[in-house]
Amino acid sequence: MEVTTAREGAHLIVGVDGRVDGVSAPEFQAAIEGAIQPSDQAVIVDMGGVQFIASAGLRVLLVVGRLLQKQNAKLVACSLSERLREVFTISGFSSIVPLYDSRADALQALND
């Protein structure tokens, strides 16, 4: 798994490639939490390169979402494959983490 970060205004964009499973989840969490700044209004997790996410990866998103709530910030995800979108829908995560088709769509929604 590879995690990259970038900034677009007051939004942190986290790019993820590979598998987010029990082995890589702690690295995933550390990368996101280490990049969050108090001034961030949102974190966009771009999952376009994710082939698989395990329950440990979903748990990371819950933990990060709670952390962001404390600073009045949002967590959203974008660019999910059909398979990942199905996992988010079946598990109920799509009602917790807003999903967008692309990074541009996520940015537009957050900036509106």
Side-chain angles (χ1 to χ4, degrees):
M1 181 197 66
E2 183 180 333
V3 178
T4 58
T5 59
R7 295 210 168 273
E8 179 87 27
H11 308 311
L12 172 65
I13 300 171
V14 178
V16 188
D17 287 311
R19 295 174 54 91
V20 184
D21 54 24
V23 173
S24 61
E27 177 188 346
F28 179 47
Q29 184 172 344
I32 296 174
E33 288 180 352
I36 294 172
Q37 296 179 358
S39 60
D40 286 332
Q41 294 176 1
V43 173
I44 300 169
V45 181
D46 187 331
M47 304 190 85
V50 176
Q51 295 92 26
F52 173 82
I53 189 164
S55 59
L58 294 174
R59 181 189 164 283
V60 168
L61 294 176
L62 274 180
V63 170
V64 169
R66 287 188 186 131
L67 174 70
L68 290 169
Q69 279 182 330
K70 291 178 183 175
Q71 69 180 56
N72 258 351
K74 297 178 182 178
L75 174 68
V76 302
C78 69
S79 306
L80 283 76
S81 67
E82 215 174 291
R83 177 178 233 156
L84 278 184
R85 190 174 283 271
E86 187 176 317
V87 168
F88 272 66
T89 302
I90 290 171
S91 66
F93 267 77
S94 58
S95 65
I96 299 169
V97 179
L99 304 178
Y100 296 94
D101 291 335
S102 68
R103 187 182 292 194
D105 289 346
L107 284 166
Q108 182 176 355
L110 291 167
N111 289 326
D112 284 345

